[in-house]
Amino acid sequence: MIDFDMLTALAFREGAERIGVGVVVRDTRGRILMIRRSAHDVLPGLWEYPGSGHEAGEPVAAGAARELAQETGLTDLALEYVRHQDFADQRGLRVRQFVFSTVVPEGTPVVLSADHDSHQWAPAHRLPTTSDAQRAVIEWLAGRLAIRGQHLVDGHLTAIARPNAYGCLLVTDPAGRVLGMRSTIDPDVWNMPGGNVEHGESPFDTALREARDELGLDLAAENPRVLRRRLVAVIHTRANADYPVPAAGYVFDGGTLTAEQQARIRLDPAEHTEFRFETAHDWRSRMAPAHYQRLRQVLRAHRCGVPLYLECPAPDGDDFEGVLVFVTDRAGRLLMHLRECGPGMAWPGYWTPIGGWREGDENAEESAVREVLEEAGIEITGLRTLPDPHHDLGLPLTRVLHAPWDGPESDLRLGDEGLAVRMVPLSEVLDLKVPPYMHHYLPLLAAAAGQPAGEASCPGPTPPAAQPARRPALPGRTR
């Protein structure tokens, strides 16, 4: 539906002094109804389509229908909005006229008012004497209708998929954990502060308004940096059975809330029952896979510092947010990484292959090369994709790859994550404390290398001798 109140307000902001309405009437042969002004009227003898001034407080479309009925006797017709035209009237006032169109059967009788003394049905390319502005509108309309598949504005709006738009804020705590709020209507859903864009709002305005309503905090006042309107991501979500129209979401940086600010959060119980700050890893256990993927996508955009265009569901080949890289050498050894024991860390204290988050618009191979360089200090080539892990192996949204490496172990350099890196014979990997997914992938690697995979024993703590000293971080390397 066209918001003529908004269009009228815009017209006045752009310098219009009056609002007018007009109707281009076409018959089924495509001819245009033109009516001639009477001798006693202003501009006598001028031909025009029906129309005049818009009355204050009157809906624009209703004004167009009223003028059409008064000047031609044509009533109860469906009017379609065409476009607007700007011109100066006889008094020199700037007028913005909203022009509509309608179609009547050939031979429809016309009853003129006293302001007009004649009418004719004229082809668009042979109009009688009229103003340049009206001629331009009619010729534009005829040209548009001559193009196959083209519609007028009203018809176009009914033929397109009109997406819902929403705006929301990514809010974190000083530890980098992400704010989520549990939905009152669906307790399995956790939301960011935000909501649907209303008339006259921008997505950013919506995000701020919803944050005030949902958190009881004015985030723009709490953290003026929010007013920089830093866009994190634009997410296009396809229509589905749960929400049958597409949605375009704008995610903005909502800043960091201190402990004192968090203590002042007051939820609207009609919308949310609780809030919490969690790491990306810990949110996985609280979200449905589709919602978790969307969160991971947004956090990727936030990490890289460059706004990203994202899609839900993600296109084929782009549906991953992390990588796991198995690097083996000719001696049948596997590069393993001892992980730190930090809050929200995946597999804390375990030995795992190299892996990590995707950055920016990297593909899987680019992510893998970067992660191995950052965490082990070596460059890899010849990557191949391994079968994707099952969800029950604890590797959601992860692409798994394998790369051969021929360098000496002395080339390994621990980056700024983890406690150690070393090459481990495939037959000894399961003697370490490793995640369950290693039992799935180790036989694949062993078969490819012609090496034994070790016994599938229950992983326990790593023996002291298997924990090498921490290597110095690479000079100048940052994450």
Side-chain angles (χ1 to χ4, degrees), residues 16 24 69 82 98 124 179 181 184 204-205 208 270 358 400 410 463:
V24 178
V82 174
F98 295 109
L179 171 64
M181 304 175 298
T184 299
F204 182 76
D205 293 336
L208 287 182
R358 180 184 184 186
V400 183
S410 59

Side-chain angles (χ1 to χ4, degrees), residues 136-381:
V137 169
I138 293 171
E139 291 178 351
W140 178 90
L141 175 61
R144 181 162 185 116
L145 294 174
I147 302 174
R148 176 177 295 182
Q150 292 296 308
H151 303 276
L152 300 183
V153 174
D154 280 335
H156 177 64
L157 292 178
T158 61
I160 61 175
R162 284 175 282 177
N164 173 56
Y166 65 90
C168 60
L169 295 169
L170 174 64
V171 179
T172 59
D173 69 2
R177 298 178 301 176
V178 180
L179 171 64
M181 304 175 298
R182 186 192 289 272
S183 169
T184 299
I185 298 174
D186 187 350
D188 291 332
V189 173
W190 292 80
N191 298 315
M192 294 180 182
N196 292 332
V197 176
E198 298 181 356
H199 284 301
E201 282 187 330
S202 70
F204 182 76
D205 293 336
T206 296
L208 287 182
R209 172 180 56 77
E210 289 286 345
R212 287 193 296 269
D213 294 343
E214 295 173 347
L215 298 176
L217 298 178
D218 184 346
L219 292 185
E222 299 282 347
N223 181 1
R225 290 177 63 88
V226 172
L227 290 175
R228 296 184 180 182
R229 291 170 167 79
R230 181 195 164 199
L231 179 65
V232 175
V234 177
I235 305 175
H236 179 270
T237 304
R238 300 177 196 172
N240 54 47
D242 294 329
Y243 201 76
V245 295
Y250 299 79
V251 184
F252 299 93
D253 190 341
T256 298
L257 292 183
T258 65
E260 185 275 330
Q261 290 170 321
Q262 295 172 40
R264 290 190 281 110
I265 291 177
R266 297 294 181 267
L267 299 180
D268 178 355
E271 294 198 51
H272 300 102
T273 58
E274 65 171 299
F275 73 91
R276 62 191 315 124
F277 289 84
E278 297 285 6
T279 66
H281 174 72
D282 290 340
W283 272 124
R284 178 193 163 217
S285 63
R286 299 181 181 276
M287 291 184 170
H291 290 171
Y292 183 61
Q293 176 172 358
R294 183 160 52 196
L295 173 65
R296 289 272 298 260
Q297 287 180 306
V298 169
L299 293 181
R300 168 161 55 98
H302 190 256
R303 281 195 309 275
C304 75
V306 178
L308 293 181
Y309 166 72
L310 307 169
E311 294 183 2
C312 287
D316 291 343
D318 195 43
D319 55 347
F320 76 99
E321 292 299 321
V323 291
L324 186 69
V325 193
F326 291 90
V327 180
T328 57
D329 64 9
R330 292 181 178 178
R333 298 181 301 174
L334 176 64
L335 177 60
M336 297 293 285
H337 183 225
L338 179 58
R339 297 182 65 81
E340 298 166 284
C341 296
M345 179 77 70
W347 308 113
Y350 280 68
W351 286 87
T352 72
I354 300 296
W357 302 114
R358 180 184 184 186
E359 298 288 349
D361 58 357
E362 290 176 332
N363 60 33
E365 289 74 17
E366 291 167 341
S367 292
V369 170
R370 176 185 51 75
E371 284 291 336
V372 172
L373 181 61
E374 290 179 351
E375 296 185 6
I378 60 174
E379 297 185 7
I380 55 172
T381 58

Side-chain angles (χ1 to χ4, degrees), residues 390-452:
H390 301 291
H391 289 295
D392 58 0
L393 294 179
L395 294 171
L397 308 174
T398 301
R399 189 76 79 245
V400 183
L401 303 101
H402 170 251
W405 181 60
D406 293 332
E409 187 173 3
S410 59
D411 285 351
L412 297 179
R413 294 291 185 271
L414 180 67
D416 58 359
E417 286 188 0
L419 302 176
V421 289
R422 74 181 181 102
M423 302 300 298
V424 179
L426 292 174
S427 60
E428 300 176 11
V429 168
L430 295 183
D431 295 332
L432 305 176
K433 183 180 181 181
V434 295
Y437 61 75
M438 294 301 297
H439 296 265
H440 174 80
Y441 282 105
L442 203 58
L444 300 178
L445 297 171
Q451 299 285 333

